[in-house]
Amino acid sequence: MIKVTLAKGDGIGPEIMDATLSILDAANADITFEEIQVGEKMYLNGHTTGISDDAWETIRTNKILFKAPITTPQGGGYKSLNVTMRKTLGLYSNIRPCTSMHPFVQTKHPDMDVVIIRENEEDLYAGIEHQQTDEVVQCLKLISRPGCEKIITYAFEYAIRNGRKKVTCFTKDNIMKQTDGLFHEVFNEVALKYPQIEIEHWIVDIGAALLADSPERFDVIVMPNLYGDVMSDIAAQIAGSVGLGGSANIGQECAMFEAIHGSAPDIAGKNIANPSGLINASIMMLNHVGKNKVAEKIHNAWLRTIEDGVHTADIYDPIMSTKKVGTKEFAEAVIANLGELPKQLPSVVYEESTPLVLPKYQRRPAKDKKIVGVDVFVDWHGEDAKELGAILQKLNNDALELVLITNRGVKVWPHGFKETFCTDHWRCRYAAKDDVLLDKGKIVEILQAGLEHNIDIIKTENLYTFDGKRGYSLGQGQ
Ligand code: NAD
C-alpha cells in the first residue's frame, strides 16, 4: 500500500481536493493519505515558512506529497512555500503537460499537445541578490553541470517513456554564453544518447513566439527555471485554461504533485471551482508510483466528462457545454464515467512503469584551471571613465594591468563613447601581463592598493581559463 502525504491547502484547495479524493477512492487507487497542515494558517501562526517541522518529517518519510494550492499572505516578507519545497526537497524537474481539448474547451490551438519540462532549482531562483551601490542591485544566475544533466536527461527519458518524438531546448545562449551556453552544451551532449529522439534548439524569445503562435510544432520542451516559469503558464493558458493543468515536481528522493493554478480566494467555498488541475495532478502521481492503469482509467473518464460537455463555470460555453456543474458534481460525473473512453478525443494508454531513477552524477576529471586576471567592481560616482581609468591604472602591479572598464557590461574605457549612459557601478578588468604566471597574492595587492587610493571596491570576480578555454565573458564592445 502506498502512503502519500496530503495537504488540502487554502482557498478552493479543500473543495477541489475532496472532489479529487472521491474520484481516487471510486477508482480503487488504494493509496493511504497522511494529512499535514501547510499554508496560510501556518504562516499566520508564526511559521514564517508556512510549514512545521513535523510536516517536513511526514513529507520526507512518505516521499510523495499531493498538495492543493496554498495562499501566501501578501506583505510581511513570507517566503513562497512552493519555492522552499522545490529547493529543500531537491525537486529538480517541473513537468506540465498542456494539451488542448478542442472543440470541447475553447482554444485557438486545436492540435496543441506540448509538455514543458522546467529546471526547478537553479538559475535566478537561487535567490542570491545584493545591493552593491546606491543605484545598482544584482541577482546571481547560477547554472551547474549536474543541474543541467539531471533536467535534460529527465526530459529525454520522459519523451521515451511517453512515446514523444522530439525534445526542444530553449535558452538565451547568444547573450548568456556561459550560463545558458552550458545548458545548451549539455543538451547537445545528452541528446547523443537518444538518437531515436529528434532535437532542436531555439533562442527563447523566438521560441516563445513560436510556442504562442503555433504550439503544435512542439512536443517536449526543456528549459532553465525562469523561462520555464513564464513559458509553462503561457502554454497552459493557450491550451485552454490554466485551471485544467496538473504539474509534477520530481526529485531523486521525493516528488510533489499539484494543480498549476493558485488558491483562487475569490471563488473559495462556493463549490464552483474546477477540480481538473488537481485531478490531472493525481493522474501524474498515479503514473509516478506505478499505478498506471488507475491513472489511465481516471484520465479517460475525465476526458469523457469534458467531452460530454459537463463543465464547471470557468470553461462553460453555451454552445459546446451541455451542463454547468459545481466542483462536487463534476467529480461525480467523472466517477460515473470510470471505465468509459472518450469518443472523439484520443483516449490515453499508460504502460506499466517504475519510477524513473536517473544515473548517479559522474563528476568528470578536473580541468586545468588557470587564473588569468580579476574583475574588480567599483562604486564610483564620477562621470568620465577616462578619469576612473587614470585612477585605477595606479593599482597596476608587476603581474596585473588594467585593460578594460565597463559600465553595466558596456565598454567605457579605453576608447569609450560619450553617449554610453553610466551609473555608479564599474567593472574594472585587470589581466595578467604576457607570460606572467599569476598567483592570488597579486590580486590581494590590487585590493590593498585600492584601499590606499580610497577606491570603494564592492566585489571581485576571478578570471579563469579551463583547459585553455576562456571561462568568462568579454565586455560588450571589447
Ligand atoms: P489563482 O490561480 O488562484 O487565480 C487566478 C484566477 O483564476 C482567479 O480569477 C480564480 O478564480 C481563477 N481560478 C484559479 N483556479 C481556478 C479553478 N480551479 N477553477 C476556476 N477558476 C479558477 O492565482 P492568483 O489569484 O494570482 O493567486 C491566489 C493565491 O494563490 C495567492 O496567494 C498565490 O500566492 C497562490 N498561489 C498558489 C500556488 C500554489 O500553491 N501552487 C500557485 C499560484 C498561486
Side-chain angles (χ1 to χ4, degrees):
M1 169 83 85
I2 288 164
K3 200 166 176 190
V4 165
T5 307
L6 182 83
K8 289 196 172 182
D10 304 313
I12 57 170
E15 52 200 295
I16 57 171
M17 182 57 92
D18 286 341
T20 306
L21 293 179
S22 70
I23 298 170
L24 291 176
D25 191 36
N28 296 322
D30 200 21
I31 290 177
T32 308
F33 290 102
E34 187 170 2
E35 192 173 344
I36 55 165
Q37 296 299 327
V38 295
E40 199 172 19
K41 275 198 214 98
M42 299 305 286
Y43 282 118
L44 301 177
N45 276 347
H47 292 90
T48 48
T49 52
I51 182 168
S52 67
D53 290 346
D54 289 350
W56 271 127
E57 242 356 89
T58 310
I59 294 169
R60 293 173 70 198
T61 307
N62 296 332
K63 313 266 190 221
I64 311 278
L65 171 63
F66 187 37
K67 179 179 135 319
I70 55 173
T71 302
T72 311
Q74 294 289 307
Y78 297 109
K79 284 239 175 193
S80 155
L81 178 57
N82 277 338
V83 178
T84 307
M85 278 188 174
R86 286 173 198 159
K87 294 210 286 201
T88 313
L89 297 173
L91 308 179
Y92 63 89
S93 182
N94 181 263
I95 302 119
R96 288 186 179 185
C98 304
T99 311
S100 62
M101 263 148 311
H102 176 78
F104 306 103
V105 177
Q106 288 288 321
T107 169
K108 295 187 182 111
H109 308 287
D111 300 319
M112 178 175 183
D113 184 15
V114 176
V115 181
I116 306 280
I117 300 195
R118 162 190 171 191
E119 198 290 316
N120 223 6
E121 293 179 293
E122 305 195 334
D123 197 356
L124 290 155
Y125 289 67
I128 306 174
E129 293 193 301
H130 301 95
Q131 177 162 5
Q132 297 178 316
T133 67
D134 272 349
E135 294 174 351
V136 176
V137 286
Q138 74 162 15
C139 174
L140 280 188
K141 170 162 168 132
L142 294 177
I143 301 274
S144 75
R145 175 168 273 279
C148 295
E149 285 191 12
K150 271 193 297 189
I151 189 67
I152 292 164
T153 305
Y154 188 93
F156 279 95
E157 286 292 332
Y158 180 94
I160 298 274
R161 282 170 170 243
N162 291 279
R164 301 264 170 178
K165 304 281 181 281
K166 181 165 82 169
V167 179
T168 303
C169 175
F170 282 1
T171 69
K172 187 81 183 170
D173 67 338
N174 54 332
I175 302 295
M176 283 161 279
K177 295 189 167 75
Q178 294 291 325
T179 47
D180 283 22
L182 177 61
F183 198 92
H184 191 177
E185 183 183 318
V186 174
F187 176 75
N188 288 339
E189 285 170 17
V190 173
L192 294 175
K193 296 184 202 146
Y194 301 90
Q196 66 276 51
I197 300 282
E198 188 191 337
I199 58 162
E200 65 177 1
H201 171 268
W202 287 103
I203 297 296
V204 62
D205 37 2
I206 185 65
L210 290 173
L211 176 66
D213 182 63
S214 39
E216 61 285 346
R217 63 181 297 150
F218 295 103
D219 193 350
V220 173
I221 317 181
V222 63
M223 59 192 103
N225 207 341
L226 177 61
Y227 313 142
D229 194 356
V230 177
M231 230 57 72
S232 55
D233 268 22
I234 294 175
Q237 185 63 27
I238 65 172
S241 162
V242 279
L244 298 181
S247 150
N249 295 271
I250 309 285
Q252 303 279 54
E253 290 269 325
C254 299
M256 171 171 79
F257 299 85
E258 60 182 346
I260 293 179
H261 60 76
S263 57
D266 52 336
I267 55 166
K270 296 182 177 162
N271 190 43
I272 55 174
N274 189 343
S276 294
L278 206 55
I279 296 171
N280 279 315
S282 79
I283 292 166
M284 295 173 93
M285 175 177 72
L286 290 165
N287 272 321
H288 181 80
V289 299
K291 290 186 174 280
N292 311 83
K293 288 298 153 192
V294 187
E296 183 180 300
K297 188 155 82 171
I298 296 176
H299 199 159
N300 284 324
W302 177 76
L303 288 169
R304 178 63 181 269
T305 310
I306 295 287
E307 205 183 70
D308 285 346
V310 178
H311 293 165
T312 43
D314 55 316
I315 57 167
Y316 183 81
D317 165 34
I319 297 169
M320 283 315 294
S321 309
T322 53
K323 200 172 172 194
K324 192 190 275 185
V325 291
T327 313
K328 229 172 133 199
E329 294 70 30
F330 181 81
E332 284 163 7
V334 174
I335 291 169
N337 277 331
L338 286 170
E340 300 291 330
L341 296 178
K343 287 183 181 154
Q344 242 178 284
L345 292 167
S347 55
V348 296
V349 177
Y350 292 125
E351 301 300 337
E352 300 284 338
S353 69
T354 47
L356 176 63
V357 181
L358 295 185
K360 203 169 175 324
Y361 176 68
Q362 299 281 334
R363 184 166 279 166
R364 298 167 166 216
K367 290 187 176 153
D368 180 25
K369 179 179 175 187
K370 276 207 181 72
I371 189 160
V372 294
V374 63
D375 277 348
V376 176
F377 291 77
V378 167
D379 181 347
W380 187 65
H381 288 233
E383 281 176 14
D384 184 356
K386 261 194 242 147
E387 192 188 329
L388 181 63
I391 301 169
L392 289 176
Q393 277 180 307
K394 293 181 191 158
L395 275 52
N396 288 353
N397 57 40
D398 55 353
L400 285 163
E401 63 183 344
L402 184 71
V403 293
L404 167 79
I405 301 176
T406 65
N407 196 289
R408 290 175 301 159
V410 184
K411 187 179 93 166
V412 291
W413 183 95
H415 317 303
F417 289 2
K418 69 174 175 30
E419 291 84 354
T420 306
F421 178 81
C422 291
T423 177
D424 56 3
H425 184 275
W426 309 79
R427 186 261 305 259
C428 313
R429 176 161 290 175
Y430 290 84
K433 291 179 181 168
D434 284 346
D435 302 329
V436 170
L437 200 58
L438 190 61
D439 67 68
K440 286 186 181 161
K442 293 295 170 190
I443 293 176
V444 176
E445 275 182 31
I446 295 262
L447 301 183
Q448 187 62 41
L451 267 183
E452 283 155 19
H453 286 87
N454 237 352
I455 310 286
D456 183 2
I457 294 175
I458 49 184
K459 80 161 189 170
T460 62
E461 202 71 66
N462 293 344
L463 308 179
Y464 294 105
T465 58
F466 292 83
D467 285 349
K469 190 174 159 212
R470 185 164 43 77
Y472 51 91
S473 55
L474 297 175
Q476 268 156 22
Q478 192 183 4

